Amino acid sequence: MGTATLTIDRDAIIANWRALDAATDPQTETAAVVKADGYGLGVAEVAQVLARAGARSFFVAVAEEGVAVRRALGVGPTISVFSGHMVGDTELLRDHDLIPLLNSGEQAARHRDGLPGHPFGIQLDTGMNRLGMEPEEWAYLRGWLLGEGPTLIMSHLACADTPDHAQNAAQLRAFRDMTEGVSAPRSVAATGGTLLGTEYHFDLVRPGVGLYGGAPFYDAQPVVTLSLPVIQVRDLNPGESVGYGATWVAGRASKVATVSGGYADGLIRAKSNRATLWAGDTPCPLIGRVSMDLITVDVTDLDEVPASLDILGPHQGVDMLAEAAGTIGYEILTALGARYHRRYIGGAP
Ligand SMILES: *Cc1c(COP(=O)(O)O)cnc(C)c1O
């Protein structure tokens, strides 16, 4: 088989959800964020395994993603949409029982006119300046919207992956000020906020990346293994070069493996000459440029070249690979290609 295999450990996802759930008090609900195709791992399988772990509330970025989650989970679980009620969303929200998190007065008016009586939540901006109602707008709309009984009032922290960043406490204060006396359930914490401590938990925490083994949940169990098949191996003389632009030149007699997987599969080009693959316990440097479908690896020091090399596995998780490429684990995960064969292990009910 020419395509690489992405193995997803459902038991690890369950363990990560339960560990974050255990970090919160019993009265705090632990939800699950499954946007961007379940952080690249396959939204249907990921949502189902998280439901089995115990999650009852799910969050997506846009309504179309919510439809996929509803199809995977059936009726029952709550599915909320961060982008709120956009033009064209009305039928999707209604037909698939999705809850928009209203971000502005404009969205609130659209929701009232398009779906009167349909549940909604509210997103407040407490300082990230990305999504949500600003304090003045909220002060103006609050009486009306609270009278309608929102399902959730939430905000998002900009710096939760940096525990001692002053903005965490500032946003917490702003959220408390903006929601004083409110009886609706409240939420500010994603993965980072969940790990900041119970004062950030309120009624519901909404981790995403930590469920899939990424920082800032450093104690997470690794979820993904990515094995790239070796297509061919060749011997090089000193002075011969490898790949586009001839950016790597053999300094010794070398053995080079060409493996299946490239930037079209999310192995971003910034990994050129920087990342490491693994043959079991032996590291093998990625050499030359990443091309669309292929990468090249120095396997000179291996006694025997295996049928495939791992780029994600026990020796290198998403964050380590991200560091080699100058990015973050989130981007490594969500870039994982559509071409991979996704294989799900564990997760027996
Ligand atoms: C993506 C997102 C989350 C989940 O964030 P993680 O850092 O992946 O845990 C939570 N809330 C909002 C508003 C988001 O956009």
Side-chain angles (χ1 to χ4, degrees), residues 20 32-35 39 59-61 82 101 123 128 130-131 154-157 187-194 206-212 215-216 330:
L20 291 170
V33 179
V34 295
K35 60 194 180 185
Y39 286 58
F59 290 83
V60 292
F82 290 135
L101 293 159
Q123 190 157 194
M128 187 169 180
R130 190 180 67 166
L131 281 178
M154 59 158 284
S155 189
H156 194 50
L157 301 171
S187 173
V188 290
T191 301
T194 305
R206 356 169 270 275
V209 75
L211 305 174
Y212 314 109
Y330 294 80

Side-chain angles (χ1 to χ4, degrees), residues 246-260:
T247 60
W248 187 86
V249 178
R252 57 172 177 168
S254 301
K255 205 188 299 176
V256 174
T258 303
V259 308
S260 181

Side-chain angles (χ1 to χ4, degrees), residues 255 257 274-287 295-302 304-306 308-311 316:
K255 205 188 299 176
R274 294 183 62 182
T276 301
L277 285 84
W278 293 81
D281 297 330
T282 309
C284 306
L286 189 161
I287 56 169
I295 56 180
T296 35
V297 183
D298 184 352
V299 292
T300 312
D301 297 329
L302 296 182
E304 205 178 319
V305 181
S308 62
L309 297 168
D310 291 346
I311 194 159
Q316 178 166 266

Side-chain angles (χ1 to χ4, degrees), residues 4-327:
T5 301
L6 180 71
T7 303
I8 295 138
D9 184 348
R10 290 187 285 218
D11 288 335
I13 296 175
I14 292 173
N16 291 337
W17 185 86
R18 294 204 169 137
L20 291 170
D21 186 46
T24 67
D25 290 336
Q27 69 272 17
T28 297
E29 179 180 353
T30 302
V33 179
V34 295
K35 60 194 180 185
D37 195 28
Y39 286 58
L41 304 185
V43 70
E45 289 79 2
V46 158
Q48 282 167 355
V49 78
L50 286 163
R52 224 177 294 148
R56 301 185 310 286
S57 296
F58 294 80
F59 290 83
V60 292
V62 293
E64 288 80 356
E65 294 181 326
V67 174
V69 178
R70 180 62 73 207
R71 290 212 171 102
L73 297 181
V75 295
T78 301
I79 303 170
S80 302
V81 181
F82 290 135
S83 60
H85 192 146
M86 300 282 288
V87 173
D89 278 353
T90 301
E91 284 73 25
L92 291 182
L93 296 170
R94 183 192 60 209
D95 295 349
H96 303 277
D97 189 17
L98 309 176
I99 300 179
L101 293 159
L102 304 178
N103 287 297
S104 62
E106 187 191 343
Q107 289 199 345
R110 182 177 302 128
H111 192 71
R112 174 198 58 200
D113 297 344
L115 284 179
H118 185 93
F120 66 88
I122 296 163
Q123 190 157 194
L124 301 178
D125 177 37
T126 52
M128 187 169 180
N129 288 304
R130 190 180 67 166
L131 281 178
M133 298 181 194
E134 303 265 332
E136 304 70 42
E137 188 174 32
W138 171 235
Y140 179 71
L141 295 171
R142 152 183 184 133
W144 162 41
L145 291 175
L146 289 178
E148 302 283 316
T151 57
L152 186 71
I153 301 184
M154 59 158 284
S155 189
H156 194 50
L157 301 171
C159 306
D161 59 351
T162 311
D164 39 11
H165 200 295
Q167 187 157 332
N168 293 320
Q171 285 195 251
L172 182 62
R173 223 175 303 120
F175 187 69
R176 287 223 166 96
D177 288 348
M178 288 171 83
T179 59
E180 217 188 302
V182 162
S183 60
R186 295 184 290 173
S187 173
V188 290
T191 301
T194 305
L195 299 168
L196 285 180
T198 50
E199 58 185 334
Y200 288 86
H201 293 172
F202 294 91
D203 301 292
L204 178 143
V205 295
R206 356 169 270 275
V209 75
L211 305 174
Y212 314 109
F217 186 20
Y218 296 100
D219 295 333
Q221 291 196 18
V223 170
V224 291
T225 306
L226 179 55
S227 293
L228 311 177
V230 175
I231 301 173
Q232 114 174 91
V233 180
R234 74 187 69 244
D235 294 308
L236 265 66
N237 293 317
E240 287 194 272
S241 69
V242 173
Y244 284 122
T247 60
W248 187 86
V249 178
R252 57 172 177 168
S254 301
K255 205 188 299 176
V256 174
T258 303
V259 308
S260 181
Y263 59 74
D265 303 294
L267 302 177
I268 56 177
R269 199 163 165 278
K271 292 170 191 161
S272 299
N273 286 307
R274 294 183 62 182
T276 301
L277 285 84
W278 293 81
D281 297 330
T282 309
C284 306
L286 189 161
I287 56 169
R289 286 216 180 121
V290 173
S291 49
M292 187 185 294
D293 318 300
L294 301 166
I295 56 180
T296 35
V297 183
D298 184 352
V299 292
T300 312
D301 297 329
L302 296 182
D303 295 332
E304 205 178 319
V305 181
S308 62
L309 297 168
D310 291 346
I311 194 159
L312 290 171
H315 294 292
Q316 178 166 266
V318 290
D319 295 299
M320 221 172 125
L321 181 59
E323 204 173 302
T327 181

